């Protein structure tokens, strides 16, 4: 079995890119300062890095899964241009009140539930006790705690600086 490694879980909207309500296309994509550098730094440390994102805009027909994949291709290209990559992207298109019946369900993947994080842990050798999430909503933090990892609430500024602070305080055992 592969050696376990710590993982950084990143929410997408409001952490990697500016949250404009729904980010339906590449035109809506605006990088958060330091997001690509943050991923590069943690990958250079040999961490696993995952994106875990609720995308209920699909359940509400604001955009399609194909639109989301186009946005993710743009994000992946941005990471690649910065010389880095994430290990996987987990996205939850479901919502209990969705207008699109295909995506109307109370999903265990939708944060604050931990399904996406647990899936990452099932698919990659994650060292859970050394891992943490950065999100911009309490539901992100709740999902992290439900999955047994740390959680840090990002409220703006440079993501790379915030992540370094989070790592230092996590290693201190304060989260
Ligand atoms: Mg968010």
């Amino acid at each position: 079995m592969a050696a376990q490694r710590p993982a950084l879980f990143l929410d997408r909207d409001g952490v990697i890119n500016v949250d404009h309500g729904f980010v339906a296309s590449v035109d809506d994509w605006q990088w958060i300062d330091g997001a690509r550098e943050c991923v590069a730094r943690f990958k250079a440390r040999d961490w696993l890095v995952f994106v875990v994102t609720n995308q209920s805009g699909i359940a509400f027909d604001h955009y399609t899964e194909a639109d989301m994949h186009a946005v993710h291709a743009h994000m992946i290209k941005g990471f690649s241009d910065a010389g880095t990559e994430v290990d996987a992207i987990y996205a939850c298109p479901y919502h209990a009140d969705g207008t699109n019946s295909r995506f109307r369900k109370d999903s265990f993947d939708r944060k604050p539930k931990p399904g996406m994080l647990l899936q990452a842990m099932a698919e990659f050798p994650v060292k859970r006790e050394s891992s943490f999430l950065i999100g911009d909503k309490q539901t992100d933090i709740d999902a992290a705690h439900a999955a047994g990892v740390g959680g840090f609430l990002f409220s703006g500024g440079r993501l790379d600086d915030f992540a370094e602070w989070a790592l230092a305080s996590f290693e201190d055992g304060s989260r």
Side-chain angles (χ1 to χ4, degrees):
M1 184 180 155
Q4 291 198 323
R5 293 150 64 194
L8 174 65
F9 294 92
L10 295 173
D11 173 39
R12 198 194 81 181
D13 300 334
V15 173
I16 295 173
N17 58 286
V18 176
D19 189 348
H20 292 299
F22 291 111
V23 175
S25 76
V26 170
D27 292 340
D28 299 329
W29 186 268
Q30 186 183 350
W31 289 99
I32 295 274
D33 289 342
R36 285 162 288 188
E37 294 84 347
C38 169
V39 171
R41 286 182 75 159
F42 278 76
K43 289 301 296 174
R45 290 190 172 101
D46 204 29
W47 280 47
L48 295 160
V49 179
F50 303 113
V51 178
V52 286
T53 178
N54 285 350
Q55 290 298 324
S56 63
I58 294 167
F60 288 101
D61 289 315
H62 294 303
Y63 49 92
T64 66
E65 279 187 299
D67 295 332
M68 180 191 73
H69 290 310
V71 169
H72 286 171
H74 178 75
M75 176 176 71
I76 288 166
K77 170 80 163 57
F79 288 136
S80 174
D81 289 346
T84 193
E85 62 181 354
V86 296
D87 291 279
I89 301 167
Y90 298 94
C92 177
Y94 301 105
H95 193 287
D97 302 322
T99 49
N100 185 325
S101 59
R102 237 186 101 203
F103 299 105
R104 187 188 309 134
K105 78 167 182 180
D106 183 9
S107 173
F108 188 63
D109 286 342
R110 181 172 166 79
K111 295 174 286 185
K113 293 180 178 160
M116 292 189 285
L117 288 84
L118 297 179
Q119 187 182 346
M121 291 178 192
E123 293 177 347
F124 292 85
V126 173
K127 189 176 182 186
R128 184 188 305 238
E129 64 274 22
S130 304
S131 299
F132 64 91
L133 170 145
I134 297 175
D136 69 327
K137 292 187 177 152
Q138 186 58 41
T139 46
D140 297 313
I141 308 308
D142 292 346
H145 291 165
V149 303
F152 291 88
L153 197 58
F154 176 66
S155 58
R158 286 192 63 92
L159 185 66
D160 51 353
D161 291 345
F162 181 84
E164 294 305 312
W165 169 83
L167 175 62
S169 61
F170 190 62
E171 286 174 335
D172 282 348
S174 47
R175 288 292 189 287

